[in-house]
Amino acid sequence: LVSMATDPKLQWVTLWARVRWAAVLGLLLALLVVLLLPAAEDQCHAVLQGLSFLKSKLGAGSSGVTRYTGHTTELSVASNGLELLVLKGKASPEVKLEAKAALKQALEMKRQGKREKAHKLFVYALKMDPDYVDALTEFGIFSEEEKDILRADYLYSKALTISPFNEKALINRDRTLPLVEEIDQRYFGIIDSKVKKVMAIPKGNSALRRVMEESYYHHIYHTVAIEGNTLTLSEIRHIIETRYAVPGKSLVEQNEVIGMHAALKYVNTTLVSRIGSVTTTDILEIHRRVLGYADPVEAGRFRTTHVFVGHHIPPHPRDVEKQMQEFVQWLNSEDAMSLHPVEFAALAHYKLVYIHPFTDGNGRTSRLLMNLILMQAGYPPITIRKEQRAEYYHVLEVANEGDVRPFIRFIAKCTETTLDMLLIATTEHSVGLPEADGSSAGCKQTIPVK
């Protein structure tokens, strides 16, 4: 034993064996970490979800704090049962200092009469720190001076969402709110007069029949294109008319088109005539057709998993059915049906997409429900064009932050555009519908009411 201990060769062999064993153990530990990493990631994700849910509950539970109520407007939506949670990165102290300096410069430029520079500096300050209450309020005052009452009111509203007790924002919003209500109601009046003109067109009018048929294909094209479908208008027409697949194109995308066609037929033949009696089953049946050809497993049933939609975290899966019951109760209530049809349709769209009750197809189902409400009121179905996708998502995001009125105005604008297309197409010199792949400039053209 003594000789083994003192033999240098044997000492090297023992040392080399230890090194090899250490390497093997290290490799085994590395493999173990790799195997356990997905589970750890899932656990971290679950913890983050739990923290978000806890944050929303704590925010909802602070009912003892008096918050801004102000005057109500017909274009505002109550947040009963709708806990709005928008996750945003907070500005760092350095960025806040930069925003403060930009606001100071903006006010100086405004004092000197350099309003264009002031406008750019206000925008820059809010880009640096979107929750800067003083910048929101001062930019609101600046917007009022520029006669942009809608933007001013939006800025005051956002300031009060962040700081409900801000005295300057409270006083200013009390001034702009009645003006905004008047502007919105006047716009509804313009839409109503155009609806009457469309309804006065004889049902047998060949131009009206032709443009309604064309708008059907356009509607399917745009509503699936908003969700990323790449099929062209001519390919969609081919699929619907022949029921044959387009070679070389995604079968999932083609099944989405067939699903929209089936859902539209169901809405037109079954639901339009049933005013004031939309049920949860009806919404599930719409969704079953929307998604049934592309994903029959998830079609027609509420989601059972968490989903994340941009900055918005929809309700927990266990709360979906209850919130849908409350939503349907609201849909059939006198309060909802006493709203202007455009406002009612827009709010229904927003509330359903907020709950996000399905794993997929929420946007298409919400747009179908919106058009169902409009058609029940005698309006033609409207189309949100794919070129308007960015604006559409932006106003939905603004609604998630607490002000749904820009979304209602967006839907009102789409309604007026549809009415204008019908009126123009049925005149003596009809021009037909805009090209499916054209720019959205045509969407902004309106015709005056005489």
Side-chain angles (χ1 to χ4, degrees):
L1 287 173
V2 172
S3 62
M4 286 175 66
T6 56
D7 190 342
K9 290 182 180 180
L10 288 173
Q11 286 179 346
W12 276 109
V13 169
T14 306
L15 181 61
W16 177 242
R18 288 176 181 174
V19 170
R20 281 191 301 175
W21 274 110
V24 170
L25 286 171
L27 182 62
L28 287 172
L29 282 171
L31 288 170
L32 188 62
V33 168
V34 169
L35 288 170
L36 292 176
L37 190 58
E41 187 178 355
D42 290 343
Q43 287 179 351
C44 289
H45 191 60
V47 169
L48 287 172
Q49 287 182 355
L51 287 172
S52 297
F53 182 70
L54 180 60
K55 182 179 176 182
S56 68
K57 290 298 179 188
L58 288 172
S62 57
S63 57
V65 180
T66 304
R67 291 191 169 271
Y68 169 73
T69 54
H71 299 296
T72 58
T73 169
E74 290 184 2
L75 289 185
S76 63
V77 57
S79 59
N80 302 1
L82 296 180
E83 294 169 8
L84 302 175
L85 178 59
V86 180
L87 301 179
K88 282 183 171 182
K90 293 294 180 183
S92 66
E94 294 79 10
V95 171
K96 286 185 177 182
L97 279 174
E98 189 174 349
K100 193 173 181 180
L103 175 60
K104 188 177 179 181
Q105 283 184 303
L107 293 172
E108 178 59 26
M109 291 297 104
K110 174 184 166 182
R111 189 186 66 79
Q112 294 179 18
K114 300 176 181 178
R115 301 191 69 83
E116 189 175 342
K117 286 186 178 180
H119 182 277
K120 289 179 180 177
L121 285 163
F122 279 125
V123 171
Y124 181 74
L126 288 172
K127 187 177 180 181
M128 290 294 99
D129 186 2
D131 294 341
Y132 190 7
V133 173
D134 288 346
L136 288 165
T137 305
E138 292 296 341
F139 193 24
I141 294 169
F142 181 87
S143 300
E144 271 196 86
E145 293 167 354
E146 295 287 306
K147 308 300 181 187
D148 192 342
I149 304 299
L150 292 178
R151 183 172 63 189
D153 187 73
Y154 165 72
L155 291 164
Y156 298 145
S157 298
K158 187 171 181 182
L160 289 168
T161 302
I162 300 161
S163 177
F165 309 109
N166 188 283
E167 187 175 353
K168 187 182 283 189
L170 279 167
I171 293 169
N172 292 342
R173 177 113 200 284
D174 280 343
R175 182 176 62 253
T176 57
L177 189 55
L179 299 174
V180 168
E181 287 181 349
E182 185 182 342
I183 291 168
D184 288 331
Q185 295 308 316
R186 197 184 307 139
Y187 190 36
F188 284 156
I190 292 170
I191 290 173
D192 288 340
S193 63
K194 290 185 178 184
V195 169
K196 288 177 184 176
K197 285 191 172 188
V198 169
M199 292 179 74
I201 301 170
K203 298 300 178 188
N205 184 296
S206 59
L208 178 65
R209 203 164 52 243
R210 187 173 61 252
V211 77
M212 289 302 290
E213 182 183 343
E214 279 297 313
S215 66
Y216 182 85
Y217 295 110
H218 275 252
H219 178 79
I220 293 177
Y221 166 76
H222 285 288
T223 201
V224 297
I226 283 174
E227 309 297 336
N229 192 298
T230 61
L231 291 169
T232 65
L233 180 62
S234 60
E235 287 169 342
I236 285 172
R237 182 189 285 272
H238 168 82
I239 292 165
I240 293 171
E241 290 180 347
T242 67
R243 302 289 287 192
Y244 283 108
V246 178
K249 288 288 187 171
S250 162
L251 286 176
V252 172
E253 290 189 344
Q254 298 187 58
N255 282 331
E256 287 175 353
V257 169
I258 296 169
M260 274 303 301
H261 176 53
L264 279 167
K265 283 173 62 179
Y266 174 70
V267 168
N268 288 330
T269 59
T270 308
L271 301 180
V272 171
S273 59
R274 282 171 39 199
I275 299 174
S277 61
V278 177
T279 65
T280 304
T281 303
D282 294 331
I283 296 172
L284 287 169
E285 284 299 311
I286 293 172
H287 184 261
R288 187 169 70 82
R289 287 160 174 80
V290 166
L291 211 62
Y293 295 87
D295 188 355
V297 175
E298 294 295 338
R301 73 186 189 106
F302 295 138
R303 60 181 167 87
T304 56
T305 57
H306 278 293
V307 289
F308 298 89
V309 188
H311 291 144
H312 171 54
I313 302 177
H316 192 279
R318 66 169 172 264
D319 298 327
V320 166
E321 190 168 353
K322 178 177 177 291
Q323 292 211 14
M324 284 300 295
Q325 289 171 357
E326 292 172 356
F327 170 63
V328 167
Q329 188 177 358
W330 173 82
L331 270 181
N332 298 310
S333 68
E334 287 185 15
D335 288 343
M337 287 188 286
S338 65
L339 297 170
H340 187 278
V342 172
E343 183 180 358
F344 179 23
L347 287 177
H349 177 312
Y350 170 67
K351 288 190 174 196
L352 182 58
V353 86
Y354 178 90
I355 298 170
H356 222 78
F358 310 111
T359 54
D360 192 17
N362 293 279
R364 283 164 281 170
T365 304
S366 297
R367 291 189 287 276
L368 282 165
L369 179 64
M370 172 183 72
N371 274 322
L372 168 62
I373 291 168
L374 288 172
M375 287 189 287
Q376 286 179 336
Y379 284 63
I382 70 168
T383 298
I384 300 172
R385 294 172 64 84
K386 71 169 186 176
E387 298 84 9
Q388 298 171 294
R389 184 176 187 266
E391 184 183 2
Y392 174 50
Y393 286 161
H394 171 69
V395 289
L396 278 172
E397 179 78 11
V398 171
N400 285 339
E401 292 176 353
D403 190 355
V404 78
R405 294 170 305 162
F407 179 70
I408 296 171
R409 292 183 194 119
F410 172 77
I411 297 302
K413 182 179 72 173
C414 292
T415 305
E416 187 185 20
T417 299
T418 299
L419 293 167
D420 285 345
M421 281 198 301
L422 292 175
L423 291 171
I424 293 169
T426 52
T427 56
E428 187 177 350
H429 306 288
S430 61
V431 294
L433 296 177
E435 291 296 323
D437 56 352
S439 69
S440 60
C443 300
K444 297 176 183 176
Q445 296 174 356
T446 59
I447 56 178
V449 177
K450 297 179 181 177

